[in-house]
Amino acid sequence: MSTIECTITQNQRSRALIPMLILTSLLFILGFLIWLNGPLIPFFKLATSSQAFFVAFAFYIAYLVMAIPWSW
């Protein structure tokens, strides 16, 4: 009886591995993109300060707007 329970537990773990890897990689990519915004602001300060900070503002507004469809 305990062998059957161990087999079920291993099957459940193997089914959860791929979704966990997908979520981990997506969060890593999103974190990298958020981190990348910091160095972009001084690069865009060649124009004006308000246009430079619009880069971060646009990114977070897009993140907020896209959170609504993702939640459904």
Side-chain angles (χ1 to χ4, degrees):
M1 185 107 171
S2 64
T3 348
I4 295 171
E5 290 174 4
C6 286
T7 308
I8 291 172
T9 306
Q10 287 175 347
N11 286 340
Q12 289 174 346
R13 286 183 186 169
S14 64
R15 274 191 288 162
L17 181 66
I18 292 178
M20 184 63 90
L21 289 175
I22 291 171
L23 283 175
T24 303
S25 62
L26 286 175
L27 287 175
F28 177 78
I29 291 169
L30 185 63
F32 181 75
L33 290 176
I34 291 172
W35 171 79
L36 195 60
N37 277 336
L40 281 178
I41 291 173
F43 176 74
F44 284 120
K45 275 194 177 177
L46 298 174
T48 62
S49 274
S50 61
Q51 289 176 344
F53 287 111
F54 184 71
V55 172
F57 177 75
F59 182 81
Y60 287 114
I61 290 297
Y63 189 59
L64 176 70
V65 169
M66 289 308 295
I68 295 168
W70 286 346
S71 65
W72 283 341

